[in-house]
Amino acid sequence: MLTYISAKEAAEKWNISQRRVSVLCSENRINGAMMVGNMWIIPSTAEKPVDKRTTRYEKETGITLKPFVKWVGGKGQLVGELEKILSADKDRVFTKYCEPMVGGGALLFNMLSKHNFEQLYISDINAELMNAYQVIQNNADILIEKLQEMQMLFLPMDENGRKFYYYSVRDKFNTTELSNETATIKAAYFIFLNKTCFNGLYRVNRNGQFNVPMGAYKSPTICDEDNLRNVSKALKNIKIVCGDYTLSKEFIDKDTFVYIDPPYRPISATSGFTAYNTDTFDDNEQIRLAKYIDEINATGAKIVLSNSDPKNVNPDDDFFDELYKAYNIRRTSANRAINSKGDSRGKISELIIHN
């Protein structure tokens, strides 16, 4: 005798949303499904249909997107490890992507190069960074024109000329208030400074002013026009928010892949760069973040977090092992600066934490 289950029971059985089951029924893609009253019932022997959305999940453009800024702690080295976690859930199709501490966006641009998501959300508390994202999204032509002008002026100069130009741009950046009218020029200043400052740092003093000295690059690429245009196209339908990571909660649901990249917990006295604004991200902030991850974990979203491994310095430091004991904790190696000298690098362990 043929037995039936409800759409809710089918959703739980197939690990998809009840709404998605109803859509599949209405598309006649579940054999034997029928409407009884105002609800769908499905034969208990029915198999989960192959989700046609998977055909839109992989991109075929072949365009490789790159971060448009250098960023301290960029996750380019970890992209492969993070991709493995995404692909491990073979039976799930994530239609939404969320990165609420986007920074330079190494994983974001890898995802945009390879995958199609129906909805995307990125945010960060750095107003200048998020302004640059929004300007590239909405006003790339004028931004590129300004960056090309700055590049043509800067590159032919001798060292003294470059210093004068760099510090004049830095002064303009610090004295120009961010507004709708100044958004594009501030984004141009921001990208110029990022490409020509020491080690691509973004650091501000207690007054909130950018104070990084000029770097020693011979021929920096200030305007990568092709990448900026490709990034502009890729960002068109993305929600870009300047604000605390907790604002992402309304966006996140069971169909969402969430990657969170907080300021890393310092592993030594000389590696304590945990802020690019006037606030710090201390252990209390790490604990607040862990509580937020617990909240969004309850939605059924796939969550991946990266952070430093305290055991690099102290094998007995179980801070993150205790904080995330309910989750999967993987240790992977990465090349990072291991002291205050940017050219002193080595292999260290980093954490990838996921549900």
Side-chain angles (χ1 to χ4, degrees), residues 229-241:
R229 292 196 183 281
N230 289 334
V231 167
S232 179
K233 292 175 184 176
L235 292 177
K236 284 305 179 189
N237 296 315
I238 296 180
K239 185 171 184 179
I240 301 174
V241 175

Side-chain angles (χ1 to χ4, degrees), residues 57 82-89 94 111 115 117 257:
Y57 191 61
L82 297 169
E83 276 272 16
K84 289 178 186 177
I85 296 172
L86 174 62
S87 61
D89 285 313
F94 300 102
M111 290 291 179
H115 305 292
F117 292 94
F257 181 86

